Amino acid sequence: MSKMPEGIEEIASKYKLHSESLSFLESQQTDGVNLIDESVPLEDRRRRSAVSSSQAEEFAGTVKEFRVPSAALPDGIPIDVIKPRSCNSNPIILVYFHGGGLVFGSKEADRPICQVLARDLPCVVVNVEYRLAPEHKFPAAFEDGKNVLRWVLMNKALIGGTNDSKIGLVGCSAGGTIAASLCHEVTKGITFQVLVYPWLDLTCDQPSCTEFENGPVLTVEILRWCADKVVNNPEEEKNPRASPLFRENFTSLPPTLLLLAEFDPLRDQAYHYKRKIKDAGIDAESLMIKGSLHGFFDKPDHYKDLGLKAREKMIAFIKKRVASS
């Protein structure tokens, strides 16, 4: 039996961590990256955190890079369009936003999970390389996301779909922040959204933020550090665009699925968000994956069992929503 990773004794005494979560924590003790260690250049931390991400499997299909026009970026916003050979003639299109606290992450790091989703649904996945803080403060990432979404809505056939292809948004962690906000702003043409352990309130003022303040994996200190890098001033943390939980009107949202990790300071934000959606009369579902840690979804090579449970729920939800739309 493997040794219990240090620092999680209290959590392990109350809850049962899945074996995949335990083995991930063990690997982090030897290979982990301190994301907020200011003595290490930010680019080095970004590079090292990307190395610890999932490794790509062989993919039967195509990955093509496009550049979405943007007034802020002369060369455009880079996106990867991932299409499996198994796609039907009228495929669903997923617009995917990676996580990383709006400071870390890249489309390259999340290409493995995008390829798995493209293969398993099957569908076309648009994997977005939005601008990161602190080089590009709020609302740069959200503007990039809106530009890409509007471009995809107008260019379905160009990227391998048809004019009748249904479009859904998928966002992990801080990518869920972007996806959730976009669904409030672009209210036509989106059939569903899937938010995976989303960061919906930059102020982090929920019971799970207290219970899991020190992790494992994601700590409130990391969240606050990232929020400070993203916003232009502390008051902006409550801007409804940056923190969708502060939105007042939820009636224009599409059907929503929230996939949650059990051991995650962000968990209760998602439940609160789901209640607001349902109170507005919009369909909303959630599934908390027992024994899981924040970050499990986008590492399909490590979290084989937990990741499969989440993807099976996601695929069933998407097929149901597309069939009824």
Side-chain angles (χ1 to χ4, degrees):
M1 184 175 175
S2 59
K3 178 176 173 287
M4 180 71 68
E6 293 178 15
I8 65 161
E9 293 83 1
E10 184 178 350
I11 288 174
S13 69
K14 293 185 195 174
Y15 301 99
K16 184 175 180 180
L17 282 159
H18 192 280
S19 58
E20 292 174 346
S21 298
L22 286 169
S23 63
F24 181 78
L25 290 174
E26 288 168 359
S27 71
Q28 289 295 98
Q29 288 192 335
T30 55
D31 303 323
V33 181
N34 184 347
L35 297 177
I36 61 176
D37 182 358
E38 299 272 13
S39 68
V40 178
L42 179 57
E43 278 307 312
D44 289 350
R45 281 174 276 157
R46 283 174 173 159
R47 198 176 306 113
R48 289 168 58 194
S49 65
V51 168
S52 67
S53 296
S54 209
Q55 301 303 306
E57 301 175 12
E58 188 173 339
F59 178 66
T62 58
V63 180
K64 296 180 181 178
E65 185 175 82
F66 290 76
R67 296 275 175 157
V68 174
S70 165
L73 292 164
D75 295 328
I77 304 162
I79 61 171
D80 282 344
V81 174
I82 301 168
K83 185 175 184 180
R85 284 206 293 262
S86 54
C87 255
N88 63 34
S89 59
N90 183 32
I92 298 163
I93 299 172
L94 299 184
V95 182
Y96 178 94
F97 298 96
H98 67 77
L102 301 171
V103 177
F104 301 92
S106 66
K107 65 181 176 64
E108 182 180 357
D110 275 35
R111 186 174 295 159
I113 183 59
C114 287
Q115 291 179 345
V116 169
L117 294 175
R119 178 197 71 197
D120 289 357
L121 199 52
C123 66
V124 174
V125 177
V126 177
N127 185 12
V128 183
E129 188 83 286
Y130 56 85
R131 286 174 290 167
L132 300 175
E135 298 93 330
H136 305 283
K137 294 274 196 175
F138 174 82
F142 298 82
E143 286 298 311
D144 289 353
K146 183 182 277 190
N147 274 345
V148 169
L149 177 56
R150 285 177 166 167
W151 183 87
V152 168
L153 284 164
M154 294 186 294
N155 291 278
K156 296 180 188 179
L158 175 66
I159 60 174
T162 73
N163 290 336
D164 295 324
S165 287
K166 305 298 185 184
I167 291 180
L169 270 58
V170 180
C172 289
S173 194
T177 320
I178 298 172
S181 208
L182 288 182
C183 285
H184 286 276
E185 296 174 9
V186 182
T187 56
K188 292 183 179 178
I190 303 173
T191 303
F192 60 86
Q193 65 173 331
V194 179
L195 307 178
V196 185
Y197 36 74
W199 190 14
L200 300 166
D201 175 5
L202 270 57
T203 69
C204 299
D205 187 26
Q206 290 80 29
S208 58
C209 287
T210 301
E211 183 175 14
F212 302 114
E213 180 179 5
N214 298 314
V217 179
L218 180 65
T219 68
V220 172
E221 183 183 16
I222 291 172
L223 290 166
R224 295 199 192 287
W225 184 91
C226 288
D228 181 64
K229 300 297 180 188
V230 171
V231 297
N232 298 282
N233 55 70
E235 291 73 31
E236 225 166 41
E237 291 185 2
K238 291 187 177 181
N239 183 305
R241 195 177 195 192
S243 294
L245 195 56
F246 287 93
R247 295 272 184 178
E248 293 184 358
N249 188 340
F250 286 71
T251 57
S252 62
L253 293 185
T256 301
L257 172 64
L258 297 124
L259 293 171
L260 313 179
E262 184 173 18
F263 307 104
D264 186 353
L266 301 181
R267 186 189 67 199
D268 290 349
Q269 297 185 6
Y271 284 132
H272 191 180
Y273 200 69
K274 177 187 174 184
R275 284 197 299 275
K276 287 195 167 191
I277 296 173
K278 290 182 76 70
D279 287 348
I282 306 296
D283 289 337
E285 300 178 24
S286 64
L287 176 65
M288 185 187 73
I289 304 297
K290 289 278 192 179
S292 64
L293 305 169
H294 185 93
F296 78 90
F297 184 82
D298 57 10
K299 300 174 181 62
D301 59 342
H302 181 87
Y303 290 101
K304 291 182 168 59
D305 180 40
L306 297 179
L308 181 60
K309 287 178 183 175
R311 291 195 304 276
E312 285 177 343
K313 173 66 175 179
M314 176 179 174
I315 289 167
F317 170 84
I318 291 173
K319 288 185 174 178
K320 174 182 166 188
R321 297 304 168 187
V322 168
S324 63
S325 64

